[in-house]
Amino acid sequence: MTEKHKELGVEVIGAGISGNKVPDLQRRLERDVLKKKPTVVFIYIGINDVWHGESDPKKARRSISLKLA
């Protein structure tokens, strides 16, 4: 995105860590993402939780949403 739309002045920072589950993100969200004061945050997480037996993915989404609110 930064290369394709240079005129927007967008900075994209990837903070994903392969294999992380929701509790991992919760522990590092403030340090790795929120302290950078982003305007927009995209969170793609949860598939590792499902693969490892989390039976309620909505529970994980709610806990992240509360932290961002």
Side-chain angles (χ1 to χ4, degrees):
M1 179 174 220
T2 53
E3 289 298 313
K4 191 172 183 179
H5 296 286
K6 291 179 184 181
E7 75 281 2
L8 296 176
V10 174
E11 178 183 14
V12 176
I13 302 170
I17 297 178
S18 179
N20 262 193
K21 293 185 269 185
V22 169
D24 303 308
L25 172 62
Q26 288 173 312
R27 283 190 292 276
R28 61 187 194 80
L29 183 63
E30 180 67 35
R31 179 192 71 222
D32 293 354
V33 178
L34 300 180
K35 279 192 176 181
K36 295 176 181 174
K37 307 240 186 266
T39 303
V40 177
V41 175
F42 294 94
I43 297 177
Y44 297 104
I45 194 162
I47 194 63
N48 289 322
D49 299 85
V50 173
W51 284 346
H52 292 273
E54 173 58 59
S55 60
D56 187 5
K58 289 181 183 177
K59 177 180 137 188
R61 185 180 70 217
R62 280 191 304 272
S63 65
I64 293 295
S65 297
L66 288 172
K67 190 152 190 143
L68 291 172

